[in-house]
Amino acid sequence: MLDVSVAYNRYKFLGHEFLTWLWYMIDNDQAGLQKADEELGALTIGNRVVIENNRNNREETITIRGDGAGLEEGLIALKKGGKVTEINLAYRSGELEWRFNLKGESLSVSSLKNPETGKVEKSEDVEGAVLERIYLLEKVLNLVQNLYGRFIHERVSNDWDRRIVGEINGWIDRAIG
């Protein structure tokens, strides 16, 4: 049996590949993302992307921050072999919108901003408010789980090396001109 820390370090690249694939899917195949959530209105990149590249035993980290920030530097880092290690996402479903960070190595969700909920005015409303908050949190966690499941399905398929990696590389080339 693998030690937990050994397994974590050996397979964390999958989370980084997942976030890189997710950026590609956001830019190129929103309809494909809806297979993970039928109620998905849109999934967009928010205000932060972190890309790491371990070349020649030197680790480079590129962080792109800010609302409306251009992602060209990130695409150049991907072209050089980098992978997305953390990304801020905006998820819309119907009239609701969530914003959150997703880390690749652990698929942990942080800085979650749920949609606004109704005010609790009476003590009888507390239980309903708690259940609503749990539902809103589960929507994000289910989205991440379903997207990761879709990614793994593609990652282990024969199409990954033959088609998908080439499509991702083509997207990067087109994007940076």
Side-chain angles (χ1 to χ4, degrees):
M1 177 178 232
L2 278 178
D3 181 72
V4 171
S5 65
V6 171
Y8 178 81
N9 287 317
R10 184 177 295 170
Y11 298 110
K12 71 180 179 181
F13 76 92
L14 283 172
H16 300 167
E17 285 184 2
F18 165 62
L19 293 184
T20 305
W21 170 85
L22 186 57
W23 183 359
Y24 162 76
M25 292 293 289
I26 287 170
D27 277 5
N28 295 282
D29 192 6
Q30 283 283 324
L33 293 176
Q34 285 187 320
K35 293 177 182 173
D37 180 353
E38 293 175 358
E39 297 174 3
L40 177 75
L43 185 64
T44 57
I45 296 174
N47 60 9
R48 186 166 189 264
V49 177
V50 178
I51 299 159
E52 289 182 6
N53 191 353
N54 191 358
R55 293 185 311 160
N56 304 327
N57 293 325
R58 292 179 42 201
E59 190 170 295
E60 296 176 329
T61 302
I62 293 95
T63 303
I64 302 165
R65 260 185 261 217
D67 292 327
L71 299 174
E72 298 83 16
E73 293 87 2
L75 290 164
I76 292 169
L78 293 179
K79 176 74 174 169
K80 292 179 178 180
K83 299 283 186 247
V84 179
T85 58
E86 187 173 342
I87 194 166
N88 178 267
L89 297 169
Y91 162 47
R92 278 196 317 271
S93 178
E95 298 294 317
L96 304 175
E97 180 175 287
W98 294 256
R99 293 190 171 269
F100 59 96
N101 292 331
L102 184 58
K103 286 191 114 176
E105 63 187 34
S106 61
L107 298 182
S108 62
V109 172
S110 64
S111 301
L112 175 63
K113 183 178 179 209
N114 275 324
E116 292 293 320
T117 58
K119 263 188 158 180
V120 177
E121 296 179 5
K122 297 184 247 171
S123 60
E124 303 89 50
D125 298 339
V126 172
E127 182 179 349
V130 168
L131 291 173
E132 182 179 23
R133 299 289 286 179
I134 291 170
Y135 167 77
L136 294 172
L137 174 61
E138 283 181 336
K139 284 281 286 180
V140 168
L141 297 177
N142 287 336
L143 173 72
V144 171
Q145 181 178 353
N146 293 340
L147 287 170
Y148 190 70
R150 181 160 159 65
F151 162 74
I152 289 297
H153 178 76
E154 288 192 15
R155 181 65 175 84
V156 299
S157 75
N158 293 332
D159 281 350
W160 182 258
D161 287 326
R162 285 189 297 178
R163 183 181 56 83
I164 298 169
V165 170
E167 288 176 3
I168 292 171
N169 289 333
W171 160 68
I172 295 167
D173 290 341
R174 285 187 308 277
I176 60 176

